[in-house]
Amino acid sequence: MRFIDNRLGRRPFLASAATAAGVAALRPAPARAAAKYTRYNVTSAEGQKMLGIYRAGVEAMLNKPPEHPHNWFRNAFVHLMDCPHGNWWFFNWHRGYIGLLEQTIRTVTKEPNFTLPFWDWTELPRIPGGMFDGVLDPTNATYLPFTKDLDTFTRFIKKPMNAYWDTLTPAQRKQQADRGNKTFEDVWTGMLSPSSPGDQAFAATDRARYLTRQNPALSPDVAADCTPEVVLGGLGATYFYAPDSTKKYQPVLSFNSIRTPNHNTAPGSTTWFSTLEGLPHNNIHNFIGGVGGPWTAPYGNMTNNLSPVDPVFFLHHGNMDRLWDVWSRKQRAYGMSDRPLPADERNFMTEAFRFFVGPDGKYITDAKAADYFSTDVFGYDYAKGTGEELIPKAGLLMAARAKPTQPTMADGVVRGNTATVTLRQVPAQAQLVVSVTVPRPAQGSTGDGRSFDVLLNLPPGVERVAANSPNYLAKVAFFGKHGAGHMHGKDEATFLVPLSRAKALANAVGGVAKLTISVVASQGSGPAPALTAVSVTAF
Amino acid sequence: MLSMCLAQGAVAQAPGDVALSLPYPQQDGDRLAVTIGVGPIGRQQIVVRTQAGDRLGTISLFGVPSGQSGGTYVIPVPPGAVRNGTLALRLTIIANGQPRPPTADEVTSIELLQTRR
């Protein structure tokens, strides 16, 4: 049965994609070994059966003593102490985390065929009904002996967690220090967030989850972040992580969030979030816990890093993981890479994950990101869900060459508001982008006083042209507060402007083109800017 | 073919309203997205709608340490949201359940990005 499901899941996708593209450029997806397990939609009959096993597993883990790594709260502390958010290890780390939980549920329930059901929140923008039954609801009375209030929770788990902390290796302590935790008290105090009640990770039983059986729906705003359009937008990324040369387009072209020095780097002002992490992931977490609704702090478990205390966490992240799998198969079906660029591969894959717990109850202190990159490590695939059927349509928009060429860049010689750039040997398939760095206009500039026209190869004596002129490239403009440049943190910003090959090479001699790029105030509404830098990149 | 990238900044209008122009005529197959940088908004949320009232996305911080800036978010834009080459947005911040236009410290940047194969 599972094998048949797999074929049904994949065949329509490939057939539709080939039909839509109407070309022979599509490559059949590389054959994937038949998965041993299939993860099902929680609303399906198979998913409901799995949900029953999951409930038994959560109950078994709740009943483990707090000294046991399989205790339900101890498992949540793995997330609190080690989870990455707002960086490119987000999907990868969580694949390992939920995969190991799935294996643990098999162990504690003695159900060797258990698979974690996923919650397809696009199809069902409310908490699945079964998630209010018994221990699957963290406000259930079963939780009172552990989380009735902070004193109860402290008595229950602080001492065992402190004892665990004392066993950490130097390498583990180094990673905790990267998160700002030099002592166990730092971990505990961070969890309580005394200076900001809205960021407290601990949640007492009676407010552990703000959505209820009577009111299970996501708000219209959160549901809007779960629509096929948003999911398709996230799946439309063409790179696991786009080249640095794509500059401000990197967030749009990348499936993952920003590359950081390590997975413990906390989000901040320079962070950018991928669409899927930044929108549906964040909003569902927060709304279930009360943020964004008619409630006030302190909030529920799902709003912070002890979120795995709420069993819905794993169904939510099951869907996130499914979307990564959909994206990866889409990439391969179109002959595109689903991995980091070669220059990034080692950096990404060798990141150490030192806090996971295996199904045998032993800590895994030497895992690497590479260990959890593929679904093969856990031997599963997914039943069909939202996103998959939309990929062929999206694929038309982004069918890319199989092997992107290395970007090349030509720097311009800048004089005032004009730069000259010499292009040599532009690859036949390359796209060109002009990068223009412009100082921010004086404070108080409004409207078109903050916008500029970028012009190419103006004839002698001509200072500006209309937007329909072949010499007109684009309009660029500033927005936001003065003194906080978007790209560099300086009072300037870099804009990327497309340049067609035909325009760029119109006057080329022997394959060498000399371009003149000018920037003027739009509609003559101000002085021409003194450019900081200009370059042309060929992808 | 790798995506062709088209850039455009934004021009502010009334508080919370912003109009962004596509530098090139829109074509079938273009991918559109706005990137929005947010300051330290804590548990407040930024709701992004078109001025016609269609919801595009909500920015809600998760995993961001207290007091830190929220980072930059990528919000897909349906092709139909662009009228006559312009995307007209209305940004609202929800603070204590009350909507108001965000300040420049709360929304620090916004850009419309257009990519094409």
Side-chain angles (χ1 to χ4, degrees):
Chain A
M1 178 62 77
R2 197 157 46 235
F3 177 70
I4 293 172
D5 283 351
N6 295 346
R7 290 172 60 85
L8 287 175
R10 198 148 40 224
R11 278 167 55 193
F13 160 63
L14 286 174
S16 301
T19 303
V23 295
L26 289 177
R27 301 175 177 183
R32 188 163 73 171
K36 183 176 180 181
Y37 306 101
T38 293
R39 291 182 181 172
Y40 297 102
N41 189 323
V42 69
T43 60
S44 69
E46 298 96 333
Q48 286 291 297
K49 178 183 174 186
M50 294 302 170
L51 192 66
I53 299 172
Y54 180 52
R55 178 177 168 177
V58 173
E59 189 155 11
M61 293 177 75
L62 279 169
N63 289 331
K64 296 277 185 189
E67 292 79 14
H68 198 295
H70 279 167
N71 172 272
W72 184 249
F73 299 97
R74 290 288 298 265
N75 187 65
F77 266 95
V78 173
H79 188 267
L80 180 90
M81 294 173 66
D82 197 40
C83 62
H85 292 101
N87 68 56
W88 70 343
W89 284 287
F90 165 77
F91 279 101
N92 184 239
W93 186 95
H94 285 87
R95 172 164 287 174
Y97 184 57
I98 70 173
L100 290 167
L101 183 279
E102 182 179 62
Q103 292 183 332
T104 296
I105 296 283
R106 288 179 194 141
T107 299
V108 300
T109 60
K110 299 182 172 56
E111 291 279 0
N113 294 317
F114 169 75
T115 56
L116 186 67
F118 63 86
W119 169 26
D120 185 343
W121 19 254
T122 305
E123 174 192 284
L124 183 73
R126 60 181 183 273
I127 293 185
M131 294 306 296
F132 296 102
D133 294 342
V135 296
L136 296 182
D137 183 345
T139 68
N140 184 273
T142 313
Y143 286 80
L144 285 171
F146 317 115
T147 59
K148 178 184 177 184
D149 50 34
L150 180 58
D151 286 346
T152 303
F153 191 60
T154 302
R155 284 194 301 272
F156 172 65
I157 206 162
K158 186 174 182 182
K159 188 176 177 183
M161 281 304 303
N162 204 342
Y164 164 63
W165 175 271
D166 290 340
T167 70
L168 298 185
T169 66
Q172 288 177 303
R173 287 178 186 269
K174 167 69 171 61
Q175 288 201 338
Q176 286 303 299
D178 288 341
R179 296 176 79 91
N181 298 327
K182 294 182 178 174
T183 67
F184 177 69
E185 280 303 318
D186 291 336
V187 176
W188 194 259
T189 304
M191 179 190 75
L192 300 180
S193 186
S195 62
S196 178
D199 291 316
Q200 183 171 309
F202 166 75
T205 310
D206 62 354
R207 55 178 176 78
R209 184 195 283 171
Y210 278 61
L211 296 187
T212 63
R213 190 188 300 275
Q214 292 72 33
N215 183 25
L218 303 176
S219 71
D221 280 337
V222 176
D225 286 337
C226 303
T227 58
E229 289 75 17
V230 173
V231 172
L232 177 61
L235 294 174
T238 49
Y239 287 92
F240 183 85
Y241 193 79
D244 293 340
S245 56
T246 58
K247 298 187 177 178
K248 68 180 176 185
Y249 292 92
Q250 214 167 18
V252 179
L253 299 175
S254 300
F255 179 72
N256 284 281
S257 298
I258 191 171
R259 180 183 59 214
T260 54
N262 60 61
H263 78 277
N264 291 298
T265 304
S269 60
T270 59
T271 296
W272 46 262
F273 288 81
S274 71
T275 296
L276 292 178
E277 183 184 357
L279 294 185
H281 167 264
N282 282 11
N283 279 293
I284 288 170
H285 261 285
N286 285 334
F287 192 72
I288 289 174
V291 172
W295 307 291
T296 55
Y299 296 112
N301 285 124
M302 279 289 276
T303 63
N304 217 299
N305 287 339
L306 267 184
S307 42
V309 168
D310 188 333
V312 79
F313 171 98
F314 291 94
L315 276 66
H316 175 36
H317 271 276
N319 200 43
M320 294 297 296
D321 186 72
R322 182 184 66 80
L323 291 172
W324 180 18
D325 179 61
V326 169
W327 180 84
S328 297
R329 286 186 288 115
K330 178 268 293 186
Q331 290 289 104
R332 295 195 294 267
Y334 284 87
M336 301 163 70
S337 173
D338 64 337
R339 302 175 67 86
L341 295 169
D344 285 336
E345 177 108 6
R346 186 174 184 280
N347 180 16
F348 181 88
M349 295 293 185
T350 59
E351 175 70 4
F353 299 154
R354 302 189 182 280
F355 293 88
F356 285 153
V357 180
D360 57 0
K362 295 179 180 174
Y363 278 100
I364 302 169
T365 59
D366 58 352
K368 298 281 191 295
D371 298 337
Y372 305 107
F373 191 83
S374 168
T375 58
D376 292 345
V377 67
F378 296 114
Y380 66 90
D381 60 12
Y382 281 101
K384 197 173 180 181
T386 296
E388 203 152 355
E389 76 281 11
L390 298 174
I391 291 169
K393 299 172 189 172
L396 256 186
L397 319 183
M398 57 201 162
R401 59 191 173 211
K403 295 181 180 178
T405 56
Q406 284 293 99
T408 58
M409 179 178 288
D411 289 327
V413 177
V414 175
R415 172 179 282 183
N417 72 320
T418 299
T420 55
V421 185
T422 302
L423 293 182
R424 305 172 192 276
Q425 298 176 337
V426 177
Q429 297 286 319
Q431 297 286 345
L432 302 174
V433 173
V434 181
S435 171
V436 181
T437 304
V438 186
R440 184 176 291 268
Q443 196 162 17
S445 298
T446 57
D448 276 342
R450 299 194 296 180
S451 64
F452 302 95
D453 295 339
V454 182
L455 311 172
L456 174 69
N457 293 340
L458 286 181
V462 175
E463 294 185 353
R464 65 188 70 253
V465 295
N468 60 358
S469 163
N471 302 102
Y472 184 92
L473 291 183
K475 181 193 297 290
V476 298
F478 285 85
F479 176 84
K481 68 176 180 178
H482 184 78
H486 175 51
M487 296 300 294
H488 305 295
K490 303 176 186 174
D491 270 359
E492 63 186 27
T494 299
F495 299 91
L496 274 68
V497 175
L499 176 61
S500 74
R501 285 177 53 83
K503 282 188 178 181
L505 303 179
N507 302 319
V509 177
V512 178
K514 293 189 175 181
L515 310 181
T516 302
I517 294 164
S518 309
V519 179
V520 299
S522 291
Q523 302 170 2
S525 57
L531 299 176
T532 304
V534 174
S535 64
V536 176
T537 301
F539 298 99
Chain B
M1 200 85 70
L2 184 62
S3 298
M4 179 173 77
C5 303
L6 310 176
Q8 180 57 298
V11 178
Q13 302 175 310
D17 286 0
V18 60
L20 306 99
S21 300
L22 292 179
Y24 277 67
Q26 193 175 356
Q27 293 183 8
D28 287 347
D30 282 359
R31 264 183 83 210
L32 306 177
V34 286
T35 56
I36 297 180
V38 302
I41 62 172
R43 289 306 191 178
Q44 302 171 104
Q45 298 182 307
I46 307 285
V47 178
V48 183
R49 290 184 173 88
T50 66
Q51 290 180 18
D54 297 325
R55 293 182 178 89
L56 296 186
T58 300
I59 296 170
S60 184
L61 310 191
F62 181 86
V64 177
S66 298
Q68 293 293 308
S69 290
T72 297
Y73 295 76
V74 180
I75 299 179
V77 175
V82 176
R83 307 276 174 83
N84 299 319
T86 299
L87 176 66
L89 296 180
R90 178 158 298 159
L91 276 61
T92 307
I93 188 163
I94 310 295
N96 300 320
Q98 298 299 314
R100 61 169 172 78
T103 67
D105 289 326
E106 291 163 342
V107 172
T108 57
S109 66
I110 180 167
E111 290 187 85
L112 171 61
L113 303 180
Q114 182 179 12
T115 62
R116 183 176 301 162
R117 78 182 175 95

